[in-house]
Amino acid sequence: MSMYAAHLVSMLSIYVVLAASLNLVAGYGGMLSAAHVVLFGVGAYALACLTSILGWPFLIALPISIVAAGSLAFVVGSLCVRLSGDFFLLATLSVHVLLQAVFANWIPVTGGPYGIGGIASPSAFGWSADSSLEKAFFTAAAAGGSLAILGRLLRSPFVRSLQAIRDNAVAAGAVGKDPLRFRRRSFMIAGAFAGLAGALYASNIGYIDPHAFALDEFVFLLAVVVVGGAGDARGPVVGTLVLFLMPEGLRLLPITAAAAANARQVLFGLLLVLAMRVRPQGLVGRYGFN
Amino acid sequence: MGSTDHEVLTIRGLSKSFGDHRLLVNVELACDKGEIKALVGPNGAGKTTLFDIVSGLTLADKGDVLLEGRTLVGLQPHEIAALGVARLFQDLRLFENLTVLENVLVALTPSEDEEPMAGLLCGARVAAHERCRRTKALDLLGHVGLLEQAHRFAGELSSGQQKLTALARTFASDSGLLLLDEPSTSLDSDMTERASALIRRAAAAGTAVILIEHDLTFVGRVTDRVALLNLGSILIQGSLTELNRGSLFLDSFLGSQITDSAPGAS
């Protein structure tokens, strides 16, 4: 497997986990959270700080990064889940802007616009993923484990009641479900998985800066979930494959890398609009996301 | 009005206004264990608002709502439901993207099986409970004639089938009090018979049932106990036969303004 292919496998694995976690809150919970990408960032920055600045081992830094993102998600969720629809989106968008400002300006911890380098590769018990291939195997295995856990959660009574709350919170309350409790918990779980994806991202790339967690990444992630099929366990996998592999085709065209990067953004925007207009249930889903 | 030992629901001096409009005025109502009581009255009389207050969706300005002696005032809707109050909404409020079976299963699932970690760490226990719930849910769907529709999405059903799904969901939990808002609307004669059988069966098992109805034929099928709500007040309570004799009942039910007779009405 070439370095390029190994890197692609790593990125696909990371984004599948990230998209699957957004799918839990947005697709199953009906909460379109613009803060998801910065929770991904919190996981990445936590791992970067702990391994690069404090020199902690990867195996200790990884669970702390997951807990950091999950805890922050719990706080953000507790503040935002009382809101719904556009108000929820606006509240989480303000969290995105706030944390982006922290990433860009808290220089002693995040390195500000210069970011953090020298982030530890995945390692455990004397083994270290030094090559791209080893990183790809580790990341794919972690993603596989995460999807197995999320898949089991999606088939559980917890998520069934979460879907009921998404469909009609008043009726769910009338059969004894506390909508705020379900929303808060799903937001926290999704945040923890976003943190895991962020930690895997930082350890794969070895360097992070605030641009990796900007709003256009949220648009990309939303396009992955919507095009794949929100509220369907297969949706994020299909969406990630389609949206990752389709722009790879741009490399085959006789255009510059800069033009291809711009074309990529246009393509994602178009796909998102097209999916919302023509097929809101996505490629494999049934729930019409709007 | 003093509450008795077998009184499941006691409503005392309940008032609610929206701006200058007095929707409920000093309402007194009670429902006993195993009793089916029909709440009738013209549109805008305040019947659904009364249900909204009992189920915690609207706060009363004054008065008290007691469930087996315990006040429900100030509780959240899910807390009231957990105490044993189930509700059929006039506009059904189904979980449209879940199947008919899942709609019933949501109502049947207790909170301990809904812990996110329960499914991961105690999978076998939760799976065993889930199998029991499925059996119970399918049995209930059999009673309302929806067994063949069990795996269809609720949003795809006809209006009558949706009403039966909502009824099955309401009857799924073992509630002490059922609040049914227009249970017979949209039902054909066969469905109406199934719905009335379900209501009678619940009452026979000791559940207190209050139903809002415009169809007096349906009311006559399930109960003889009627309370007439008009202009925000309970005007009369008694048996349907007795009340049908009085012109006051018919006048009120047809929506005539009987301002003089309505206590507290402005």
Side-chain angles (χ1 to χ4, degrees):
Chain A
M1 192 189 280
S2 69
M3 262 181 68
Y4 167 70
H7 178 71
L8 193 60
V9 168
S10 290
M11 289 300 114
L12 278 171
S13 304
I14 290 165
Y15 272 85
V16 163
V17 174
L18 187 58
S21 60
L22 179 64
N23 192 31
L24 174 65
V25 279
Y28 288 85
M31 298 173 283
L32 182 52
S33 169
H36 208 67
V37 168
V38 286
L39 294 171
F40 173 60
V42 167
Y45 271 106
L47 188 102
C49 290
L50 293 172
T51 61
S52 176
I53 299 174
L54 299 176
W56 288 19
F58 175 83
L59 208 56
I60 293 175
L62 181 67
I64 295 176
S65 307
I66 296 168
V67 170
S71 305
L72 185 68
F74 182 77
V75 174
V76 172
S78 300
L79 295 171
C80 297
V81 294
R82 287 175 187 278
L83 306 169
S84 58
D86 295 345
F87 295 104
F88 180 84
L89 179 63
L90 283 173
T92 52
L93 190 61
S94 65
V95 172
H96 177 100
V97 172
L98 183 78
L99 280 172
Q100 261 290 320
V102 172
F103 295 159
N105 295 292
W106 196 13
I107 292 171
V109 175
T110 63
Y114 306 110
I116 304 178
I119 302 166
S121 296
S123 61
F125 310 113
W127 169 83
S128 176
D130 296 322
S131 69
S132 299
L133 190 62
E134 286 172 311
K135 284 181 185 174
F137 274 122
F138 178 85
T139 311
S146 303
L147 289 184
I149 294 170
L150 273 171
R152 193 155 177 172
L153 187 70
L154 295 182
R155 291 190 299 273
S156 72
F158 170 75
V159 168
R160 184 172 61 210
S161 293
L162 182 68
Q163 287 173 288
I165 290 163
R166 172 200 67 192
D167 281 5
N168 199 307
V170 171
V175 290
K177 315 299 166 195
D178 178 1
L180 298 183
R181 175 171 159 267
F182 278 87
R183 285 179 179 153
R184 207 163 39 229
R185 288 182 175 200
S186 61
F187 202 88
M188 185 182 74
I189 294 166
F193 277 101
L196 168 68
L200 292 173
Y201 176 81
S203 64
N204 263 276
I205 303 289
Y207 165 81
I208 53 166
D209 67 24
H211 291 106
F213 316 106
L215 206 56
D216 54 356
E217 282 301 312
F218 169 65
V219 175
F220 170 69
L221 196 60
L222 183 61
V224 166
V225 172
V226 172
V227 170
D232 189 292
R234 301 161 300 170
V237 180
V238 173
T240 307
L241 284 172
V242 169
L243 268 84
F244 252 88
L245 298 181
M246 195 183 279
E248 292 301 314
L250 292 172
R251 291 173 187 272
L252 305 173
L253 298 176
I255 54 174
T256 63
N262 290 333
R264 182 176 173 262
Q265 294 301 328
V266 173
L267 194 64
F268 294 152
L270 279 175
L271 273 173
L272 185 57
V273 172
L274 203 66
M276 292 279 205
R277 295 281 299 175
V278 181
R279 200 173 162 82
Q281 72 272 41
L283 291 171
V284 295
R286 201 206 68 84
Y287 168 62
F289 187 81
N290 54 48
Chain B
M1 192 169 69
S3 67
T4 59
D5 284 347
H6 47 268
E7 225 169 70
V8 176
L9 180 75
T10 314
I11 295 173
R12 287 180 183 153
L14 206 69
S15 296
K16 178 71 186 174
S17 298
F18 289 107
D20 293 336
H21 181 55
R22 293 205 292 169
L23 207 60
L24 295 173
V25 187
N26 206 26
V27 170
E28 304 270 344
L29 188 70
C31 192
D32 289 347
K33 197 173 177 185
E35 182 184 8
I36 303 173
K37 185 165 274 181
L39 191 58
V40 299
N43 288 328
K47 304 182 297 291
T48 299
T49 305
L50 187 65
F51 272 16
D52 282 348
I53 292 171
V54 175
S55 49
L57 292 171
T58 301
L59 270 176
D61 298 333
K62 194 164 73 72
D64 204 356
V65 179
L66 303 168
L67 184 74
E68 293 177 335
R70 180 183 171 166
T71 184
L72 300 181
V73 175
L75 296 182
Q76 293 293 309
H78 67 271
E79 293 170 324
I80 293 173
L83 288 173
V85 179
R87 164 127 188 227
L88 172 75
F89 291 93
Q90 190 180 351
D91 54 354
L92 304 186
R93 294 179 175 266
L94 288 176
F95 310 130
E96 294 195 347
N97 294 289
L98 296 184
T99 64
V100 171
L101 178 63
E102 286 169 333
N103 265 268
V104 179
L105 285 171
V106 167
L108 279 171
T109 310
S111 58
E112 60 265 24
D113 282 355
E114 287 172 332
E115 291 296 326
M117 296 306 282
L120 300 175
L121 301 178
C122 318
R125 179 178 61 81
V126 173
H129 291 177
E130 186 73 1
R131 278 194 296 275
C132 292
R133 282 192 290 271
R134 282 177 74 89
T135 308
K136 193 174 174 187
L138 289 170
D139 180 52
L140 189 55
L141 290 176
H143 273 97
V144 295
L146 281 180
L147 210 48
E148 286 178 12
Q149 320 296 334
H151 298 288
R152 283 184 67 193
F153 289 101
E156 295 171 350
L157 302 176
S158 71
S159 57
Q161 289 169 332
Q162 288 189 337
K163 174 59 72 79
L164 289 177
T165 305
L167 270 168
R169 186 180 69 184
T170 309
F171 281 83
S173 46
D174 293 322
S175 303
L177 174 66
L178 290 173
L179 304 173
L180 309 177
D181 201 341
E182 300 192 13
S184 75
T185 314
S186 320
L187 298 183
D188 63 27
S189 57
D190 177 51
M191 290 173 172
T192 306
E193 185 45 51
R194 286 175 187 276
S196 56
L198 211 56
I199 293 168
R200 287 193 301 263
R201 197 176 70 151
T207 306
V209 183
I210 302 184
L211 53 98
I212 293 173
E213 250 317 322
H214 289 287
D215 180 358
L216 292 182
T217 313
F218 181 80
V219 170
R221 276 182 169 193
V222 292
T223 188
D224 196 37
R225 307 298 302 164
V226 179
L228 171 64
L229 186 73
N230 195 11
L231 300 169
S233 297
I234 299 285
L235 293 186
I236 30 178
Q237 292 193 61
S239 79
L240 187 60
T241 329
E242 284 166 17
L243 298 183
N244 256 332
R245 289 195 202 113
S247 61
L248 177 68
F249 176 70
L250 281 178
D251 285 350
S252 304
F253 195 63
L254 293 171
S256 306
Q257 296 293 307
I258 43 173
T259 323
D260 293 342
S261 311
S266 59

